[in-house]
Amino acid sequence: MFKRDVQQIKNLILQTLRDQGLETPLQQKRLVEAWPKVAGPVITRYTLNTYIYNQTLYVRLSNPALRAELSMRRTELTQRLNAEVGEQVISDIRFA
């Protein structure tokens, strides 16, 4: 009898994504898509644009008062977003 090397499909897919350099962009996309869930409906209403550059999430807001309030909660939001994705994807958030 021969021994089979059985692996879970999840591990095979993750390894393939990692080998092809697609794991990080996928995680970044998941994090940007998690912004409305983590931020909530009121903040999402004032969000104009979100993108990631150099492990920093940039969030463009239309309300200056909200921008100032969220700047004080940067660390909390960073932790919640990374927890939502399950990986350390971003290290900071900048509001513009």
Side-chain angles (χ1 to χ4, degrees), residues 4 6 17 25 28 33 38 44 51 53 57 62 72 74-78 84 87 92 95:
R4 294 182 185 191
V6 179
L17 289 172
Q28 289 177 350
E33 289 176 350
V38 171
T44 302
Y51 64 94
Y53 182 74
L57 176 66
S62 62
M72 292 184 282
R74 274 189 349 221
T75 305
E76 174 196 346
L77 289 168
T78 301
E84 184 70 28
E87 293 283 333
D92 196 13
F95 299 99

mmCIF file with all atom_site columns, all heavy atoms in Angstrom, residues 4 6 17 25 28 33 38 44 51 53 57 62 72 74-78 84 87 92 95:
data_model
loop_
_atom_site.group_PDB
_atom_site.id
_atom_site.type_symbol
_atom_site.label_atom_id
_atom_site.label_alt_id
_atom_site.label_comp_id
_atom_site.label_asym_id
_atom_site.label_entity_id
_atom_site.label_seq_id
_atom_site.pdbx_PDB_ins_code
_atom_site.Cartn_x
_atom_site.Cartn_y
_atom_site.Cartn_z
_atom_site.occupancy
_atom_site.B_iso_or_equiv
_atom_site.pdbx_formal_charge
_atom_site.auth_seq_id
_atom_site.auth_comp_id
_atom_site.auth_asym_id
_atom_site.auth_atom_id
_atom_site.pdbx_PDB_model_num
ATOM 1   N N   . ARG A 1 4  ? -0.812  8.290  1.028  1.00 0.00 ? 4  ARG A N   1
ATOM 2   C CA  . ARG A 1 4  ? -1.241  9.482  0.294  1.00 0.00 ? 4  ARG A CA  1
ATOM 3   C C   . ARG A 1 4  ? -0.967  10.726 1.120  1.00 0.00 ? 4  ARG A C   1
ATOM 4   O O   . ARG A 1 4  ? -1.118  10.716 2.333  1.00 0.00 ? 4  ARG A O   1
ATOM 5   C CB  . ARG A 1 4  ? -2.718  9.424  -0.022 1.00 0.00 ? 4  ARG A CB  1
ATOM 6   C CG  . ARG A 1 4  ? -3.056  8.324  -0.970 1.00 0.00 ? 4  ARG A CG  1
ATOM 7   C CD  . ARG A 1 4  ? -4.501  8.341  -1.290 1.00 0.00 ? 4  ARG A CD  1
ATOM 8   N NE  . ARG A 1 4  ? -4.793  7.176  -2.118 1.00 0.00 ? 4  ARG A NE  1
ATOM 9   C CZ  . ARG A 1 4  ? -5.916  7.007  -2.741 1.00 0.00 ? 4  ARG A CZ  1
ATOM 10  N NH1 . ARG A 1 4  ? -6.883  7.880  -2.644 1.00 0.00 ? 4  ARG A NH1 1
ATOM 11  N NH2 . ARG A 1 4  ? -6.110  5.932  -3.467 1.00 0.00 ? 4  ARG A NH2 1
ATOM 12  N N   . VAL A 1 6  ? -2.522  13.713 1.940  1.00 0.00 ? 6  VAL A N   1
ATOM 13  C CA  . VAL A 1 6  ? -3.827  14.354 1.917  1.00 0.00 ? 6  VAL A CA  1
ATOM 14  C C   . VAL A 1 6  ? -3.739  15.702 2.627  1.00 0.00 ? 6  VAL A C   1
ATOM 15  O O   . VAL A 1 6  ? -3.228  15.791 3.739  1.00 0.00 ? 6  VAL A O   1
ATOM 16  C CB  . VAL A 1 6  ? -4.890  13.459 2.603  1.00 0.00 ? 6  VAL A CB  1
ATOM 17  C CG1 . VAL A 1 6  ? -6.245  14.134 2.603  1.00 0.00 ? 6  VAL A CG1 1
ATOM 18  C CG2 . VAL A 1 6  ? -4.943  12.100 1.927  1.00 0.00 ? 6  VAL A CG2 1
ATOM 19  N N   . LEU A 1 17 ? -2.171  30.781 -3.734 1.00 0.00 ? 17 LEU A N   1
ATOM 20  C CA  . LEU A 1 17 ? -2.227  32.246 -3.735 1.00 0.00 ? 17 LEU A CA  1
ATOM 21  C C   . LEU A 1 17 ? -0.906  32.840 -3.265 1.00 0.00 ? 17 LEU A C   1
ATOM 22  O O   . LEU A 1 17 ? -0.413  33.817 -3.834 1.00 0.00 ? 17 LEU A O   1
ATOM 23  C CB  . LEU A 1 17 ? -3.372  32.735 -2.841 1.00 0.00 ? 17 LEU A CB  1
ATOM 24  C CG  . LEU A 1 17 ? -4.784  32.505 -3.349 1.00 0.00 ? 17 LEU A CG  1
ATOM 25  C CD1 . LEU A 1 17 ? -5.795  32.860 -2.278 1.00 0.00 ? 17 LEU A CD1 1
ATOM 26  C CD2 . LEU A 1 17 ? -5.036  33.305 -4.604 1.00 0.00 ? 17 LEU A CD2 1
ATOM 27  N N   . PRO A 1 25 ? -2.753  41.057 -1.963 1.00 0.00 ? 25 PRO A N   1
ATOM 28  C CA  . PRO A 1 25 ? -3.822  41.846 -2.589 1.00 0.00 ? 25 PRO A CA  1
ATOM 29  C C   . PRO A 1 25 ? -5.220  41.359 -2.222 1.00 0.00 ? 25 PRO A C   1
ATOM 30  O O   . PRO A 1 25 ? -6.135  42.160 -2.052 1.00 0.00 ? 25 PRO A O   1
ATOM 31  C CB  . PRO A 1 25 ? -3.566  41.687 -4.092 1.00 0.00 ? 25 PRO A CB  1
ATOM 32  C CG  . PRO A 1 25 ? -2.141  41.328 -4.208 1.00 0.00 ? 25 PRO A CG  1
ATOM 33  C CD  . PRO A 1 25 ? -1.809  40.556 -2.968 1.00 0.00 ? 25 PRO A CD  1
ATOM 34  N N   . GLN A 1 28 ? -5.928  42.650 1.253  1.00 0.00 ? 28 GLN A N   1
ATOM 35  C CA  . GLN A 1 28 ? -6.177  44.093 1.208  1.00 0.00 ? 28 GLN A CA  1
ATOM 36  C C   . GLN A 1 28 ? -7.585  44.378 0.694  1.00 0.00 ? 28 GLN A C   1
ATOM 37  O O   . GLN A 1 28 ? -8.279  45.244 1.224  1.00 0.00 ? 28 GLN A O   1
ATOM 38  C CB  . GLN A 1 28 ? -5.138  44.779 0.328  1.00 0.00 ? 28 GLN A CB  1
ATOM 39  C CG  . GLN A 1 28 ? -3.768  44.815 0.945  1.00 0.00 ? 28 GLN A CG  1
ATOM 40  C CD  . GLN A 1 28 ? -2.727  45.427 0.022  1.00 0.00 ? 28 GLN A CD  1
ATOM 41  O OE1 . GLN A 1 28 ? -2.981  45.663 -1.154 1.00 0.00 ? 28 GLN A OE1 1
ATOM 42  N NE2 . GLN A 1 28 ? -1.561  45.685 0.567  1.00 0.00 ? 28 GLN A NE2 1
ATOM 43  N N   . GLU A 1 33 ? -13.160 46.058 1.875  1.00 0.00 ? 33 GLU A N   1
ATOM 44  C CA  . GLU A 1 33 ? -14.576 45.701 1.869  1.00 0.00 ? 33 GLU A CA  1
ATOM 45  C C   . GLU A 1 33 ? -15.150 45.568 3.278  1.00 0.00 ? 33 GLU A C   1
ATOM 46  O O   . GLU A 1 33 ? -16.361 45.655 3.473  1.00 0.00 ? 33 GLU A O   1
ATOM 47  C CB  . GLU A 1 33 ? -14.789 44.406 1.092  1.00 0.00 ? 33 GLU A CB  1
ATOM 48  C CG  . GLU A 1 33 ? -14.595 44.577 -0.397 1.00 0.00 ? 33 GLU A CG  1
ATOM 49  C CD  . GLU A 1 33 ? -14.704 43.278 -1.172 1.00 0.00 ? 33 GLU A CD  1
ATOM 50  O OE1 . GLU A 1 33 ? -14.741 42.199 -0.542 1.00 0.00 ? 33 GLU A OE1 1
ATOM 51  O OE2 . GLU A 1 33 ? -14.737 43.344 -2.407 1.00 0.00 ? 33 GLU A OE2 1
ATOM 52  N N   . VAL A 1 38 ? -17.117 47.485 9.845  1.00 0.00 ? 38 VAL A N   1
ATOM 53  C CA  . VAL A 1 38 ? -16.418 47.920 11.054 1.00 0.00 ? 38 VAL A CA  1
ATOM 54  C C   . VAL A 1 38 ? -16.788 49.358 11.411 1.00 0.00 ? 38 VAL A C   1
ATOM 55  O O   . VAL A 1 38 ? -17.013 49.682 12.579 1.00 0.00 ? 38 VAL A O   1
ATOM 56  C CB  . VAL A 1 38 ? -14.887 47.770 10.880 1.00 0.00 ? 38 VAL A CB  1
ATOM 57  C CG1 . VAL A 1 38 ? -14.131 48.406 12.024 1.00 0.00 ? 38 VAL A CG1 1
ATOM 58  C CG2 . VAL A 1 38 ? -14.521 46.298 10.749 1.00 0.00 ? 38 VAL A CG2 1
ATOM 59  N N   . THR A 1 44 ? -20.024 55.170 7.104  1.00 0.00 ? 44 THR A N   1
ATOM 60  C CA  . THR A 1 44 ? -19.975 54.746 5.706  1.00 0.00 ? 44 THR A CA  1
ATOM 61  C C   . THR A 1 44 ? -20.671 55.754 4.800  1.00 0.00 ? 44 THR A C   1
ATOM 62  O O   . THR A 1 44 ? -20.243 55.986 3.667  1.00 0.00 ? 44 THR A O   1
ATOM 63  C CB  . THR A 1 44 ? -20.612 53.347 5.557  1.00 0.00 ? 44 THR A CB  1
ATOM 64  O OG1 . THR A 1 44 ? -19.910 52.433 6.397  1.00 0.00 ? 44 THR A OG1 1
ATOM 65  C CG2 . THR A 1 44 ? -20.547 52.871 4.127  1.00 0.00 ? 44 THR A CG2 1
ATOM 66  N N   . TYR A 1 51 ? -8.628  53.193 0.192  1.00 0.00 ? 51 TYR A N   1
ATOM 67  C CA  . TYR A 1 51 ? -7.617  52.403 -0.506 1.00 0.00 ? 51 TYR A CA  1
ATOM 68  C C   . TYR A 1 51 ? -6.435  52.174 0.426  1.00 0.00 ? 51 TYR A C   1
ATOM 69  O O   . TYR A 1 51 ? -6.276  52.876 1.433  1.00 0.00 ? 51 TYR A O   1
ATOM 70  C CB  . TYR A 1 51 ? -7.155  53.070 -1.805 1.00 0.00 ? 51 TYR A CB  1
ATOM 71  C CG  . TYR A 1 51 ? -6.451  54.391 -1.629 1.00 0.00 ? 51 TYR A CG  1
ATOM 72  C CD1 . TYR A 1 51 ? -5.064  54.453 -1.547 1.00 0.00 ? 51 TYR A CD1 1
ATOM 73  C CD2 . TYR A 1 51 ? -7.162  55.581 -1.553 1.00 0.00 ? 51 TYR A CD2 1
ATOM 74  C CE1 . TYR A 1 51 ? -4.408  55.663 -1.390 1.00 0.00 ? 51 TYR A CE1 1
ATOM 75  C CE2 . TYR A 1 51 ? -6.519  56.796 -1.399 1.00 0.00 ? 51 TYR A CE2 1
ATOM 76  C CZ  . TYR A 1 51 ? -5.140  56.824 -1.315 1.00 0.00 ? 51 TYR A CZ  1
ATOM 77  O OH  . TYR A 1 51 ? -4.496  58.024 -1.149 1.00 0.00 ? 51 TYR A OH  1
ATOM 78  N N   . TYR A 1 53 ? -2.226  51.777 0.772  1.00 0.00 ? 53 TYR A N   1
ATOM 79  C CA  . TYR A 1 53 ? -0.921  52.031 0.171  1.00 0.00 ? 53 TYR A CA  1
ATOM 80  C C   . TYR A 1 53 ? 0.125   51.921 1.275  1.00 0.00 ? 53 TYR A C   1
ATOM 81  O O   . TYR A 1 53 ? 0.012   52.594 2.303  1.00 0.00 ? 53 TYR A O   1
ATOM 82  C CB  . TYR A 1 53 ? -0.892  53.425 -0.470 1.00 0.00 ? 53 TYR A CB  1
ATOM 83  C CG  . TYR A 1 53 ? 0.413   53.753 -1.148 1.00 0.00 ? 53 TYR A CG  1
ATOM 84  C CD1 . TYR A 1 53 ? 0.741   53.162 -2.359 1.00 0.00 ? 53 TYR A CD1 1
ATOM 85  C CD2 . TYR A 1 53 ? 1.316   54.626 -0.572 1.00 0.00 ? 53 TYR A CD2 1
ATOM 86  C CE1 . TYR A 1 53 ? 1.945   53.454 -2.988 1.00 0.00 ? 53 TYR A CE1 1
ATOM 87  C CE2 . TYR A 1 53 ? 2.524   54.926 -1.191 1.00 0.00 ? 53 TYR A CE2 1
ATOM 88  C CZ  . TYR A 1 53 ? 2.832   54.332 -2.395 1.00 0.00 ? 53 TYR A CZ  1
ATOM 89  O OH  . TYR A 1 53 ? 4.018   54.605 -3.007 1.00 0.00 ? 53 TYR A OH  1
ATOM 90  N N   . LEU A 1 57 ? -4.206  52.355 5.493  1.00 0.00 ? 57 LEU A N   1
ATOM 91  C CA  . LEU A 1 57 ? -5.523  52.518 4.902  1.00 0.00 ? 57 LEU A CA  1
ATOM 92  C C   . LEU A 1 57 ? -5.825  54.008 4.836  1.00 0.00 ? 57 LEU A C   1
ATOM 93  O O   . LEU A 1 57 ? -5.773  54.700 5.852  1.00 0.00 ? 57 LEU A O   1
ATOM 94  C CB  . LEU A 1 57 ? -6.593  51.809 5.741  1.00 0.00 ? 57 LEU A CB  1
ATOM 95  C CG  . LEU A 1 57 ? -8.037  51.992 5.278  1.00 0.00 ? 57 LEU A CG  1
ATOM 96  C CD1 . LEU A 1 57 ? -8.259  51.334 3.916  1.00 0.00 ? 57 LEU A CD1 1
ATOM 97  C CD2 . LEU A 1 57 ? -9.006  51.437 6.305  1.00 0.00 ? 57 LEU A CD2 1
ATOM 98  N N   . SER A 1 62 ? -16.188 63.070 3.847  1.00 0.00 ? 62 SER A N   1
ATOM 99  C CA  . SER A 1 62 ? -16.766 64.354 3.442  1.00 0.00 ? 62 SER A CA  1
ATOM 100 C C   . SER A 1 62 ? -17.092 65.251 4.632  1.00 0.00 ? 62 SER A C   1
ATOM 101 O O   . SER A 1 62 ? -17.472 66.399 4.441  1.00 0.00 ? 62 SER A O   1
ATOM 102 C CB  . SER A 1 62 ? -18.045 64.106 2.628  1.00 0.00 ? 62 SER A CB  1
ATOM 103 O OG  . SER A 1 62 ? -19.001 63.430 3.418  1.00 0.00 ? 62 SER A OG  1
ATOM 104 N N   . MET A 1 72 ? -8.797  60.214 16.197 1.00 0.00 ? 72 MET A N   1
ATOM 105 C CA  . MET A 1 72 ? -8.488  59.865 17.583 1.00 0.00 ? 72 MET A CA  1
ATOM 106 C C   . MET A 1 72 ? -8.730  58.375 17.855 1.00 0.00 ? 72 MET A C   1
ATOM 107 O O   . MET A 1 72 ? -8.197  57.839 18.818 1.00 0.00 ? 72 MET A O   1
ATOM 108 C CB  . MET A 1 72 ? -9.326  60.716 18.541 1.00 0.00 ? 72 MET A CB  1
ATOM 109 C CG  . MET A 1 72 ? -8.937  62.186 18.521 1.00 0.00 ? 72 MET A CG  1
ATOM 110 S SD  . MET A 1 72 ? -9.827  63.149 19.723 1.00 0.00 ? 72 MET A SD  1
ATOM 111 C CE  . MET A 1 72 ? -11.411 63.336 18.901 1.00 0.00 ? 72 MET A CE  1
ATOM 112 N N   . ARG A 1 74 ? -7.970  55.925 15.629 1.00 0.00 ? 74 ARG A N   1
ATOM 113 C CA  . ARG A 1 74 ? -7.206  55.201 14.607 1.00 0.00 ? 74 ARG A CA  1
ATOM 114 C C   . ARG A 1 74 ? -6.744  53.825 15.075 1.00 0.00 ? 74 ARG A C   1
ATOM 115 O O   . ARG A 1 74 ? -6.893  52.835 14.367 1.00 0.00 ? 74 ARG A O   1
ATOM 116 C CB  . ARG A 1 74 ? -5.964  55.997 14.200 1.00 0.00 ? 74 ARG A CB  1
ATOM 117 C CG  . ARG A 1 74 ? -6.203  56.980 13.140 1.00 0.00 ? 74 ARG A CG  1
ATOM 118 C CD  . ARG A 1 74 ? -4.971  57.604 12.582 1.00 0.00 ? 74 ARG A CD  1
ATOM 119 N NE  . ARG A 1 74 ? -3.737  57.365 13.307 1.00 0.00 ? 74 ARG A NE  1
ATOM 120 C CZ  . ARG A 1 74 ? -2.812  58.283 13.513 1.00 0.00 ? 74 ARG A CZ  1
ATOM 121 N NH1 . ARG A 1 74 ? -2.981  59.492 13.069 1.00 0.00 ? 74 ARG A NH1 1
ATOM 122 N NH2 . ARG A 1 74 ? -1.700  57.995 14.146 1.00 0.00 ? 74 ARG A NH2 1
ATOM 123 N N   . THR A 1 75 ? -6.172  53.756 16.260 1.00 0.00 ? 75 THR A N   1
ATOM 124 C CA  . THR A 1 75 ? -5.621  52.495 16.753 1.00 0.00 ? 75 THR A CA  1
ATOM 125 C C   . THR A 1 75 ? -6.710  51.441 16.911 1.00 0.00 ? 75 THR A C   1
ATOM 126 O O   . THR A 1 75 ? -6.543  50.294 16.496 1.00 0.00 ? 75 THR A O   1
ATOM 127 C CB  . THR A 1 75 ? -4.906  52.717 18.101 1.00 0.00 ? 75 THR A CB  1
ATOM 128 O OG1 . THR A 1 75 ? -3.934  53.743 17.937 1.00 0.00 ? 75 THR A OG1 1
ATOM 129 C CG2 . THR A 1 75 ? -4.226  51.456 18.578 1.00 0.00 ? 75 THR A CG2 1
ATOM 130 N N   . GLU A 1 76 ? -7.829  51.836 17.486 1.00 0.00 ? 76 GLU A N   1
ATOM 131 C CA  . GLU A 1 76 ? -8.948  50.912 17.680 1.00 0.00 ? 76 GLU A CA  1
ATOM 132 C C   . GLU A 1 76 ? -9.475  50.399 16.338 1.00 0.00 ? 76 GLU A C   1
ATOM 133 O O   . GLU A 1 76 ? -9.699  49.200 16.168 1.00 0.00 ? 76 GLU A O   1
ATOM 134 C CB  . GLU A 1 76 ? -10.077 51.612 18.444 1.00 0.00 ? 76 GLU A CB  1
ATOM 135 C CG  . GLU A 1 76 ? -11.331 50.782 18.558 1.00 0.00 ? 76 GLU A CG  1
ATOM 136 C CD  . GLU A 1 76 ? -12.542 51.609 18.972 1.00 0.00 ? 76 GLU A CD  1
ATOM 137 O OE1 . GLU A 1 76 ? -12.380 52.752 19.412 1.00 0.00 ? 76 GLU A OE1 1
ATOM 138 O OE2 . GLU A 1 76 ? -13.656 51.078 18.822 1.00 0.00 ? 76 GLU A OE2 1
ATOM 139 N N   . LEU A 1 77 ? -9.656  51.307 15.389 1.00 0.00 ? 77 LEU A N   1
ATOM 140 C CA  . LEU A 1 77 ? -10.161 50.911 14.076 1.00 0.00 ? 77 LEU A CA  1
ATOM 141 C C   . LEU A 1 77 ? -9.177  50.000 13.340 1.00 0.00 ? 77 LEU A C   1
ATOM 142 O O   . LEU A 1 77 ? -9.587  49.045 12.673 1.00 0.00 ? 77 LEU A O   1
ATOM 143 C CB  . LEU A 1 77 ? -10.482 52.143 13.236 1.00 0.00 ? 77 LEU A CB  1
ATOM 144 C CG  . LEU A 1 77 ? -11.703 52.942 13.686 1.00 0.00 ? 77 LEU A CG  1
ATOM 145 C CD1 . LEU A 1 77 ? -11.753 54.288 12.971 1.00 0.00 ? 77 LEU A CD1 1
ATOM 146 C CD2 . LEU A 1 77 ? -12.975 52.153 13.435 1.00 0.00 ? 77 LEU A CD2 1
ATOM 147 N N   . THR A 1 78 ? -7.892  50.280 13.468 1.00 0.00 ? 78 THR A N   1
ATOM 148 C CA  . THR A 1 78 ? -6.870  49.441 12.837 1.00 0.00 ? 78 THR A CA  1
ATOM 149 C C   . THR A 1 78 ? -6.948  48.022 13.380 1.00 0.00 ? 78 THR A C   1
ATOM 150 O O   . THR A 1 78 ? -6.929  47.052 12.618 1.00 0.00 ? 78 THR A O   1
ATOM 151 C CB  . THR A 1 78 ? -5.466  50.031 13.074 1.00 0.00 ? 78 THR A CB  1
ATOM 152 O OG1 . THR A 1 78 ? -5.414  51.347 12.534 1.00 0.00 ? 78 THR A OG1 1
ATOM 153 C CG2 . THR A 1 78 ? -4.388  49.175 12.433 1.00 0.00 ? 78 THR A CG2 1
ATOM 154 N N   . GLU A 1 84 ? -10.970 41.622 11.673 1.00 0.00 ? 84 GLU A N   1
ATOM 155 C CA  . GLU A 1 84 ? -12.023 41.214 10.740 1.00 0.00 ? 84 GLU A CA  1
ATOM 156 C C   . GLU A 1 84 ? -11.458 40.360 9.604  1.00 0.00 ? 84 GLU A C   1
ATOM 157 O O   . GLU A 1 84 ? -12.079 39.393 9.175  1.00 0.00 ? 84 GLU A O   1
ATOM 158 C CB  . GLU A 1 84 ? -12.719 42.454 10.171 1.00 0.00 ? 84 GLU A CB  1
ATOM 159 C CG  . GLU A 1 84 ? -13.879 42.170 9.288  1.00 0.00 ? 84 GLU A CG  1
ATOM 160 C CD  . GLU A 1 84 ? -15.097 41.619 10.018 1.00 0.00 ? 84 GLU A CD  1
ATOM 161 O OE1 . GLU A 1 84 ? -15.279 41.919 11.203 1.00 0.00 ? 84 GLU A OE1 1
ATOM 162 O OE2 . GLU A 1 84 ? -15.856 40.879 9.374  1.00 0.00 ? 84 GLU A OE2 1
ATOM 163 N N   . GLU A 1 87 ? -5.722  38.806 9.701  1.00 0.00 ? 87 GLU A N   1
ATOM 164 C CA  . GLU A 1 87 ? -4.284  38.982 9.441  1.00 0.00 ? 87 GLU A CA  1
ATOM 165 C C   . GLU A 1 87 ? -3.893  40.423 9.729  1.00 0.00 ? 87 GLU A C   1
ATOM 166 O O   . GLU A 1 87 ? -4.738  41.310 9.738  1.00 0.00 ? 87 GLU A O   1
ATOM 167 C CB  . GLU A 1 87 ? -3.956  38.678 7.968  1.00 0.00 ? 87 GLU A CB  1
ATOM 168 C CG  . GLU A 1 87 ? -4.142  37.252 7.553  1.00 0.00 ? 87 GLU A CG  1
ATOM 169 C CD  . GLU A 1 87 ? -3.029  36.345 8.016  1.00 0.00 ? 87 GLU A CD  1
ATOM 170 O OE1 . GLU A 1 87 ? -1.900  36.845 8.196  1.00 0.00 ? 87 GLU A OE1 1
ATOM 171 O OE2 . GLU A 1 87 ? -3.286  35.144 8.190  1.00 0.00 ? 87 GLU A OE2 1
ATOM 172 N N   . ASP A 1 92 ? -1.721  51.336 10.002 1.00 0.00 ? 92 ASP A N   1
ATOM 173 C CA  . ASP A 1 92 ? -2.206  52.677 10.332 1.00 0.00 ? 92 ASP A CA  1
ATOM 174 C C   . ASP A 1 92 ? -3.364  53.043 9.427  1.00 0.00 ? 92 ASP A C   1
ATOM 175 O O   . ASP A 1 92 ? -3.576  52.439 8.381  1.00 0.00 ? 92 ASP A O   1
ATOM 176 C CB  . ASP A 1 92 ? -1.072  53.706 10.162 1.00 0.00 ? 92 ASP A CB  1
ATOM 177 C CG  . ASP A 1 92 ? -1.353  55.028 10.836 1.00 0.00 ? 92 ASP A CG  1
ATOM 178 O OD1 . ASP A 1 92 ? -2.304  55.102 11.653 1.00 0.00 ? 92 ASP A OD1 1
ATOM 179 O OD2 . ASP A 1 92 ? -0.640  55.997 10.550 1.00 0.00 ? 92 ASP A OD2 1
ATOM 180 N N   . PHE A 1 95 ? -6.907  59.673 7.611  1.00 0.00 ? 95 PHE A N   1
ATOM 181 C CA  . PHE A 1 95 ? -8.179  60.241 7.157  1.00 0.00 ? 95 PHE A CA  1
ATOM 182 C C   . PHE A 1 95 ? -7.940  61.546 6.422  1.00 0.00 ? 95 PHE A C   1
ATOM 183 O O   . PHE A 1 95 ? -7.183  62.392 6.895  1.00 0.00 ? 95 PHE A O   1
ATOM 184 C CB  . PHE A 1 95 ? -9.106  60.459 8.362  1.00 0.00 ? 95 PHE A CB  1
ATOM 185 C CG  . PHE A 1 95 ? -9.439  59.189 9.075  1.00 0.00 ? 95 PHE A CG  1
ATOM 186 C CD1 . PHE A 1 95 ? -8.780  58.816 10.220 1.00 0.00 ? 95 PHE A CD1 1
ATOM 187 C CD2 . PHE A 1 95 ? -10.422 58.342 8.571  1.00 0.00 ? 95 PHE A CD2 1
ATOM 188 C CE1 . PHE A 1 95 ? -9.078  57.636 10.874 1.00 0.00 ? 95 PHE A CE1 1
ATOM 189 C CE2 . PHE A 1 95 ? -10.738 57.158 9.213  1.00 0.00 ? 95 PHE A CE2 1
ATOM 190 C CZ  . PHE A 1 95 ? -10.059 56.808 10.366 1.00 0.00 ? 95 PHE A CZ  1
#
